[in-house]
Amino acid sequence: MSYAYLFKYIIIGDTGVGKSCLLLQFTDKRFQPVHDLTIGVEFGARMITIDNKPIKLQIWDTAGQESFRSITRSYYRGAAGALLVYDITRRETFNHLASWLEDARQHANANMTIMLIGNKSDLAHRRAVSTEEGEQFAKENGLIFMEASAKTAQNVEEAFINTAGTIYKKIQDGVFDVSNESYGIKVGYGGIPGPSGGKDGSASQAGGCCS
Amino acid sequence: MFGTQSKRDLSLEIQSQIHILRPSIHARRANITVKFQDLYGFTVEGNVDDANILNEVREKVREQGRVWWALEASKGANWYLQTHVTSALKSSLKFSALVNAITLKKLIRKGIPPVLRPKVWFSLSGAAKKKSTVPDSYYNDLLIAVEGKVTPATKQIDHDLPRTFPGHPWLDTPEGHASLRRVLVGYSFRDSDVGYCQGLNYVAALLLLVMKTEEDAFWMLAVLLENVLVNDCYSNNLSGCHVEQRVFKDLLKKKCPSIYAHLEAIEFDVSLVATEWFLCLFSKSLPSETTLRVWDVLFYEGAKVLLNMALAIFKMKEEELLTTNHVGDVINIIQNTTHHLFDPDELLTVAFDKLGFMSTNISKERKKQEPAVMAELDQRLRRLNSSNLDDQS
């Protein structure tokens, strides 16, 4: 499938906050409460449209346990966007955001767009982190913020698409040199299918390499 | 008459008669996706060719079984235990032990029959010896001692139980969860430095499926972490795993220089695929019988086997890998390959016969990499600590 741009995203955050579920909800529009634990890296892809231009999002899902943080380094390379996720029902996942952000700042390019997501908004009755706290953290650290639910799909589309919108705007504003792929952006071939066109199409349908 | 049968009928027949499936060439071409259960109860999704390969594997497993039974009949039931030449043995016995050792190595590379696996693994890995050094009640005492205790490890284990091979007919039941929990929690108290590291859940789960008792699975896990694998593989910073990845990278450079050069050029880091391999010991990547064939050799020959397998996977896909332009394509090719390696011999043949002589002294290589890994991990820790101080000030 052809695209005007390809953006690479990574999803980071503590284990069990719902990273894989957010990805599956976005790529396959379904919620699978029980799925295999992510150890290495899993992929998803989907086409979206911004400003009438087809944009392919290639999303990398990672392991979240603390010990794996020393490995995730190579995932950051060439990422244009990051979804930093915490679980609104577990305070400690919010408390760890600063160190996630520190890793992201260290390993990613300085212009990476980061969206902070308070996941599991459907479990508001078990809330341990208020919306205001999320907003405050995002504001202090220059992140976009949203509460979402991978279960009900609330704000999931918006989270991925708004991030892409911000990246797209940065391109328009000339923040990125799009010919340099280390920014996580690849220019497509307009209406002409790219060299890996066939593969891309099937990946976006299946929503991942392992399905 | 396959020729006139509709695809739908055929796929129904495949699902119901998977054991005796021999579809026609038409069916092969139809490339129908079928779901079936493999030898260890895992649901596999593949095409008709994959199903055929699995049937052939079942047949080979039966043949291997006959070879092992014949050896037991001629050499005695525990002949494979007499392979270690000790000074106490007379010289004639030494020779037979040597012969047995050579036979055994070859035989194990061809696969241990599933019925014999629990017994052979338990002896050859050193688990039996480890267990024999403590009182018989050790495992039960451990379980009683840890009952009701809550630690970060137990919390994480509870979180991961349903996420370990979900949908498996035994592992994903209350009974399976409880059993896996006891093994993992028990181990987390036995070695509090390791506690619990994700990846161990997959390893322990597969051990539970193979070993006859939960207690034996526990001892297999213990011998793996304490004797078979590299040190600190599952420590809090995965330092052993980092070392192993660097050793692997160097081996790739030596054994597959063109792949290595290409992957460097597109900035592909081996950790993207090898982390899962080295921490789950391929259980999450390869089909179950293929994984267990790797483990057969792992328990007898040691952790270097994992490097052979990792190299073999890259080697098998050399041509395809050299045409990639992006990191994502490399990961796709590798994951697609591992998920469909239904024929264990396909992998093991490359791993042991097609990579050339592995002259490298692996433990020396590991020692060489350790300082760099430690320095890197230390630097990260200091960076995080200093940023914490900044936040607090």
Side-chain angles (χ1 to χ4, degrees):
Chain A
M1 200 176 289
S2 62
Y3 50 80
Y5 294 107
L6 181 149
F7 298 162
K8 174 182 163 180
Y9 281 14
I10 56 169
I11 312 184
I12 52 176
D14 277 11
T15 178
V17 296
K19 298 183 292 297
S20 302
C21 289
L22 283 166
L23 174 61
L24 193 69
Q25 181 60 259
F26 180 66
T27 56
D28 283 32
K29 296 192 177 14
R30 64 191 170 96
F31 177 65
Q32 195 182 349
V34 175
H35 57 85
D36 265 309
L37 175 65
T38 312
I39 299 288
V41 59
E42 305 287 352
F43 272 143
R46 207 185 108 181
M47 296 292 294
I48 58 167
T49 308
I50 289 177
D51 196 18
N52 286 322
K53 291 195 171 59
I55 292 177
K56 184 180 166 181
L57 301 183
Q58 186 191 64
I59 306 145
W60 296 40
D61 178 24
T62 61
Q65 199 185 14
E66 166 67 25
S67 45
F68 287 79
R69 298 258 305 272
S70 59
I71 293 206
T72 26
R73 206 167 37 122
S74 46
Y75 305 142
Y76 289 94
R77 185 176 289 153
L83 266 57
L84 172 56
V85 187
Y86 67 95
D87 173 351
I88 65 157
T89 70
R90 283 194 295 144
R91 184 88 208 168
E92 70 270 21
T93 66
F94 180 76
N95 295 341
H96 293 156
L97 289 176
S99 74
W100 277 108
L101 211 51
E102 165 62 25
D103 267 349
R105 297 259 147 89
Q106 180 72 22
H107 301 302
N109 81 70
N111 288 312
M112 182 170 78
T113 303
I114 305 175
M115 162 75 80
L116 178 66
I117 295 180
N119 190 31
K120 309 195 186 177
S121 62
D122 55 291
L123 300 177
H125 55 289
R126 279 166 44 195
R127 180 186 284 279
V129 184
S130 70
T131 309
E132 292 71 30
E133 284 174 288
E135 274 167 357
Q136 180 67 20
F137 183 89
K139 204 174 143 194
E140 282 168 9
N141 292 282
L143 319 174
I144 327 168
F145 173 67
M146 222 173 245
E147 283 190 351
S149 165
K151 189 174 181 180
T152 65
Q154 188 210 357
N155 273 346
V156 173
E157 290 275 314
E158 289 81 353
F160 283 88
I161 293 171
N162 289 5
T163 307
T166 308
I167 298 167
Y168 184 77
K169 190 167 180 305
K170 284 184 186 171
I171 297 174
Q172 301 298 304
D173 294 346
V175 175
F176 297 119
D177 167 13
V178 289
S179 64
N180 180 345
E181 284 187 13
S182 69
Y183 290 113
I185 296 159
K186 216 171 88 185
V187 183
Y189 296 80
I192 311 149
S196 55
K199 225 174 226 169
D200 289 346
S202 61
S204 69
Q205 282 303 309
C209 50
C210 27
S211 45
Chain B
M1 286 283 285
F2 279 121
T4 55
Q5 206 166 10
S6 78
K7 282 181 191 175
R8 197 178 142 267
D9 289 342
L10 187 61
S11 77
L12 285 175
E13 186 178 331
I14 288 160
Q15 279 169 12
S16 59
Q17 301 183 15
I18 199 71
H19 292 271
I20 51 159
L21 180 73
R22 287 288 181 274
S24 72
I25 191 77
H26 301 288
R28 280 166 178 263
R29 284 183 189 148
N31 207 19
I32 305 158
T33 301
V34 285
K35 268 190 181 181
F36 42 91
Q37 272 193 355
D38 70 8
L39 283 166
Y40 286 87
F42 291 96
T43 302
V44 179
E45 225 171 293
N47 59 28
V48 178
D49 287 338
D50 294 332
N52 278 341
I53 289 172
L54 267 182
N55 279 330
E56 284 161 21
V57 168
R58 280 175 212 269
E59 189 45 50
K60 273 198 241 176
V61 165
R62 276 190 285 272
E63 270 170 41
Q64 265 305 96
R66 286 190 282 272
V67 174
W68 280 76
W69 298 128
L71 273 164
E72 282 210 10
S74 68
K75 290 176 185 264
N78 292 319
W79 68 274
Y80 47 85
L81 297 181
Q82 285 124 43
T83 53
H84 298 291
V85 185
T86 63
S87 54
L89 287 169
K90 289 178 185 166
S91 58
S92 59
L93 274 176
K94 273 186 195 168
F95 181 71
S96 77
L98 191 66
V99 172
N100 280 353
I102 296 167
T103 313
L104 187 61
K105 187 172 172 180
K106 275 193 193 162
L107 210 55
I108 285 177
R109 286 186 176 189
K110 284 188 179 166
I112 302 170
V115 277
L116 287 177
R117 258 188 195 129
K119 196 173 107 180
V120 178
W121 279 9
F122 205 61
S123 309
L124 294 181
S125 64
K129 196 177 161 201
K130 193 174 267 294
K131 188 186 170 196
S132 72
T133 60
V134 295
D136 279 348
S137 60
Y138 178 95
Y139 184 63
N140 277 330
D141 294 347
L142 179 68
L143 293 186
I144 292 165
V146 305
E147 207 176 300
K149 290 201 171 140
V150 178
T151 64
T154 65
K155 281 190 204 163
Q156 192 58 52
I157 290 165
D158 286 330
H159 202 90
D160 291 347
L161 293 172
R163 302 199 285 171
T164 310
F165 298 125
H168 185 278
W170 182 75
L171 286 169
D172 199 4
T173 62
E175 196 196 338
H177 288 176
S179 192
L180 180 59
R181 187 181 194 279
R182 284 189 295 269
V183 171
L184 291 172
V185 168
Y187 196 81
S188 78
F189 281 90
R190 176 180 166 93
D191 186 346
S192 51
D193 282 344
V194 169
Y196 165 70
C197 174
Q198 290 180 336
L200 290 177
N201 56 325
Y202 289 106
V203 175
L206 205 49
L207 285 171
L208 278 169
L209 286 184
V210 174
M211 302 307 288
K212 282 222 170 73
T213 66
E214 182 184 305
E215 189 176 353
D216 285 358
F218 171 83
W219 286 110
M220 287 302 296
L221 187 69
V223 84
L224 252 177
L225 268 64
E226 293 159 20
N227 306 88
V228 177
L229 298 176
V230 293
N231 290 337
D232 298 325
C233 207
Y234 299 95
S235 66
N236 61 3
N237 57 12
L238 307 180
S239 61
C241 187
H242 281 275
V243 170
E244 212 59 354
Q245 310 223 18
R246 280 167 171 264
V247 172
F248 172 54
K249 207 172 153 184
D250 272 8
L251 276 173
L252 191 69
K253 190 177 179 181
K254 273 187 202 135
K255 292 287 172 186
C256 312
S258 45
I259 299 180
Y260 176 84
H262 182 74
L263 297 182
E264 281 286 290
I266 62 170
E267 297 190 308
F268 172 87
D269 190 282
V270 294
S271 72
L272 291 171
V273 291
T275 305
E276 187 183 283
W277 294 348
F278 295 155
L279 290 177
C280 304
L281 312 178
F282 293 101
S283 62
K284 199 173 176 295
S285 323
L286 296 170
S288 66
E289 179 61 16
T290 309
T291 304
L292 298 177
R293 285 284 301 279
V294 173
W295 289 15
D296 286 345
V297 194
L298 170 71
F299 291 132
Y300 189 57
E301 296 186 37
K304 69 173 186 353
V305 163
L306 300 175
L307 296 165
N308 277 62
M309 298 304 153
L311 276 175
I313 293 165
F314 277 90
K315 183 82 185 165
M316 286 165 84
K317 290 289 151 180
E318 176 154 18
E319 277 177 34
E320 249 182 276
L321 289 172
L322 292 177
T323 65
T324 54
N325 296 313
H326 298 285
V327 172
D329 298 336
V330 177
I331 299 176
N332 272 334
I333 291 171
I334 297 286
Q335 289 188 341
N336 215 358
T337 303
T338 52
H339 292 168
H340 290 94
L341 265 170
F342 292 107
D343 181 4
D345 289 317
E346 203 186 330
L347 175 66
L348 273 79
T349 308
V350 179
F352 294 122
D353 302 335
K354 305 255 166 83
L355 294 171
F357 184 54
M358 299 279 274
S359 57
T360 319
N361 181 337
I362 301 290
S363 34
K364 209 169 123 192
E365 288 298 311
R366 285 183 187 129
K367 279 266 171 296
K368 204 173 89 185
Q369 299 293 352
E370 271 168 18
V373 167
M374 288 331 233
E376 202 179 272
L377 292 172
D378 195 49
Q379 197 190 359
R380 178 175 179 272
L381 204 62
R382 265 182 299 178
R383 182 169 47 76
L384 285 177
N385 283 341
S386 74
S387 79
N388 281 348
L389 289 176
D390 291 349
D391 289 346
Q392 283 158 17
S393 61

